[in-house]
């Protein structure tokens, strides 16, 4: 059986746990694959790792990789924000590409900070959420050209505070068309999309990213996915995993991706838990 999380934060960025505590909890919860993905250094991101923190992070992950070799497969990754790409894929085993910020008229605002800030972003678009969504998905599509990126993080993060659909209906045809075009481009480039339960763990959402309709669309287009918890607290390492596997199955998927020492591989959905 495969139990994997490749989206994991620690005290080096905005997570609660030291690297080794996270590994021990992963082993206790029966994970077979754990990847760390600290926020890569990014000038506009208060949550990102510092350059000196990054060096320690890399050393720490390599140390647990060795120490727990017989118990769990550990990988060194990074979550790169589009605002500041990493200079090189080396030394990382994999890279998550994410968009956390909107830059408009010289202002930079965080997409996932709070509902109030999300409203400010929409105001920057003269109250037109669709224009925001169009820009957002067009920007994320650019990651198709980012060779270092393996996984696209939380595809529809812009709907973090939209559980009640107060910003936009998840069925809005224009909204869906922007998201679907983005999915076409990313899956066409072979990027893996993640089903991300992080906002559930932190009480913002009841369902993972991407929203069900988009997840079904990814399946229709032959897109590859994996499940992750965007973990910032080791107690939430497997948050909503059982329910998400059910959702993934309902959306038509029969397989998911997992990471090995030789790169990404695909396995039948039945092998995941
Ligand atoms: Zn993120
Ligand atoms: Zn993250």
């Amino acid at each position: 059986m495969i139990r994997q999380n490749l989206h994991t934060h620690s005290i080096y960025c905005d997570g609660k746990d030291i690297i080794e505590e996270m590994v021990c909890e992963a082993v206790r919860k029966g994970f077979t694959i754990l990847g760390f993905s600290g926020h890569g250094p990014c000038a506009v991101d208060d949550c990102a790792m510092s350059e000196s923190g990054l060096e320690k992070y890399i050393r720490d992950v390599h140390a647990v990789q060795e120490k727990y070799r017989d118990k769990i497969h550990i990988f060194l990754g990074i979550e790169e924000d589009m605002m500041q790409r990493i200079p090189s894929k080396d030394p990382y085993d994999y890279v998550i590409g994410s968009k956390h910020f909107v830059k408009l008229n010289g202002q930079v605002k965080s997409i996932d900070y709070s509902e109030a800030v999300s409203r400010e972003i929409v105001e920057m678009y003269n109250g037109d959420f669709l224009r925001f969504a169009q820009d957002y998905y067009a920007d994320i599509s650019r990651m198709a050209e980012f060779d270092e990126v393996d996984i696209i993080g939380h595809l529809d993060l812009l709907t973090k505070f939209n559980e009640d659909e107060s910003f936009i209906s998840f069925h809005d045809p224009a909204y869906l068309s922007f998201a679907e075009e983005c999915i076409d481009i990313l899956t066409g480039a072979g990027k893996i999309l993640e089903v991300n339960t992080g906002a559930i763990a932190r009480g913002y959402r009841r369902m993972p990213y991407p929203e069900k309709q988009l997840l079904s669309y990814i399946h229709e287009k032959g897109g590859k996915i994996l499940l992750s918890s965007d973990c910032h607290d080791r107690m939430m390492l497997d948050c909503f995993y059982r329910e998400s596997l059910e959702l993934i199955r309902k959306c038509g998927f029969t397989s998911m991706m997992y990471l090995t020492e030789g790169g990404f591989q695909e396995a039948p959905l039945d092998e995941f838990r």
Side-chain angles (χ1 to χ4, degrees):
M1 295 298 279
I2 302 165
R3 195 158 164 84
Q4 165 180 267
N5 181 46
L6 295 181
H7 197 149
T8 315
H9 296 283
S10 71
I11 51 161
Y12 288 113
C13 49
D14 55 347
K16 284 187 182 162
D17 306 291
I18 62 168
I19 299 282
E20 189 162 7
E21 285 172 339
M22 187 64 84
V23 173
C24 292
E25 188 60 26
V27 171
R28 204 183 67 75
K29 284 188 157 69
F31 277 81
T32 57
I33 300 167
L34 180 67
F36 286 93
S37 60
H39 290 285
C42 180
V44 299
D45 188 355
D46 299 337
C47 298
M49 292 186 284
S50 63
E51 291 292 347
S52 62
L54 176 64
E55 283 171 33
K56 289 189 202 134
Y57 162 76
I58 293 169
R59 271 206 304 275
D60 256 20
V61 175
H62 281 151
V64 290
Q65 216 167 22
E66 203 48 46
K67 185 170 174 184
Y68 292 88
R69 180 173 291 281
D70 299 334
K71 293 198 166 74
I72 186 167
H73 296 278
I74 293 174
F75 293 100
L76 174 68
I78 195 155
E79 184 177 11
E80 162 188 283
D81 189 275
M82 293 190 76
M83 298 278 282
Q84 193 166 325
R85 288 173 73 180
I86 53 169
S88 154
K89 181 136 182 185
D90 184 50
Y92 307 108
D93 298 314
Y94 69 98
V95 176
I96 300 175
S98 294
K99 175 175 170 68
H100 301 102
F101 300 97
V102 168
K103 190 176 182 187
L104 200 68
N105 308 327
Q107 285 193 79
V108 177
K109 289 196 187 279
S110 167
I111 292 166
D112 60 343
Y113 185 75
S114 69
E115 180 168 351
V117 173
S118 289
R119 299 235 172 254
E120 287 170 24
I121 293 171
V122 177
E123 277 320 303
M124 287 158 71
Y125 285 94
N126 298 318
D128 188 346
F129 186 88
L130 281 176
R131 278 193 48 220
F132 167 36
Q134 187 172 22
D135 268 10
Y136 172 91
Y137 283 114
D139 204 31
I140 288 193
S141 301
R142 294 195 300 120
M143 281 195 278
E145 309 286 330
F146 289 16
D147 287 337
E148 74 279 14
V149 170
D150 302 289
I151 303 164
I152 305 296
H154 39 65
L155 180 74
D156 53 353
L157 185 68
L158 83 168
T159 63
K160 179 170 181 176
F161 303 104
N162 188 52
E163 186 100 275
D164 58 359
E165 300 187 292
S166 63
F167 285 89
I168 190 81
S169 162
F170 283 114
H171 298 271
D172 184 287
Y175 170 74
L176 287 173
S177 73
F178 300 141
E180 288 171 1
E181 192 184 341
C182 175
I183 290 167
D184 290 347
I185 294 168
L186 294 172
T187 56
K191 301 302 183 193
I192 301 167
L193 301 177
E194 66 166 2
V195 175
N196 177 318
T197 67
I200 301 171
R202 287 183 276 177
Y204 294 109
R205 292 276 297 247
R206 278 166 295 159
M207 295 302 280
Y209 307 113
E211 199 272 330
K212 191 162 87 260
Q213 285 180 90
L214 298 183
L215 191 54
S216 297
Y217 185 80
I218 293 166
H219 172 253
E220 265 172 52
K221 291 289 159 168
K224 307 293 180 208
I225 59 162
L226 50 73
L227 176 58
S228 72
S229 60
D230 201 345
C231 188
H232 289 73
D233 170 350
R234 68 191 191 280
M235 301 323 288
M236 296 294 182
L237 200 50
D238 58 351
C239 175
F240 215 70
Y241 259 40
R242 193 171 40 79
E243 298 86 342
S244 297
L245 284 169
E246 197 47 48
L247 173 70
I248 287 164
R249 196 180 308 278
K250 275 191 189 144
C251 288
F253 289 92
T254 55
S255 66
M256 285 204 299
M257 304 302 285
Y258 69 103
L259 189 54
T260 72
E261 277 75 13
F264 282 95
Q265 307 255 338
E266 193 164 6
L269 200 53
D270 294 340
E271 290 183 20
F272 290 87
R273 63 182 179 86

